């Protein structure tokens, strides 16, 4: 009977995360947060502009 379910996956994930923590610096974390925020903002703005362009295009007919 194989029961390698959630315990093994969780243990592997936590072990990997704990190995990575000492190698991270606060500068890397800050850079990652800023890049993620910039990417989210750009994605939102592009989606909003495209939505307005295509919505207005359909109502001009």
């Amino acid at each position: 009977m194989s029961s390698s379910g959630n315990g093994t996956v969780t243990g592997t994930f936590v072990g990997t995360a704990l190995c990575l923590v000492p190698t991270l610096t606060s500068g890397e974390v800050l850079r990652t947060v800023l890049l993620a925020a910039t990417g989210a903002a750009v994605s939102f703005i592009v989606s909003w502009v495209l939505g307005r362009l295509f919505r207005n295009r359909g109502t001009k007919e």
Side-chain angles (χ1 to χ4, degrees):
M1 195 173 184
S2 176
S3 64
S4 64
N6 293 335
T8 303
V9 173
T10 303
T12 302
F13 178 74
V14 171
T16 303
L18 289 176
C19 288
L20 292 175
V21 168
T23 63
L24 295 176
T25 64
S26 59
E28 290 175 342
V29 173
L30 179 62
R31 182 176 61 189
T32 301
V33 169
L34 290 175
L35 286 173
T38 302
V42 168
S43 176
F44 173 78
I45 291 169
V46 168
S47 296
W48 181 74
V49 167
L50 289 175
R52 290 189 58 105
L53 284 174
F54 286 111
R55 181 178 52 178
N56 290 339
R57 176 181 272 181
T59 58
K60 288 182 180 178
E61 293 180 15

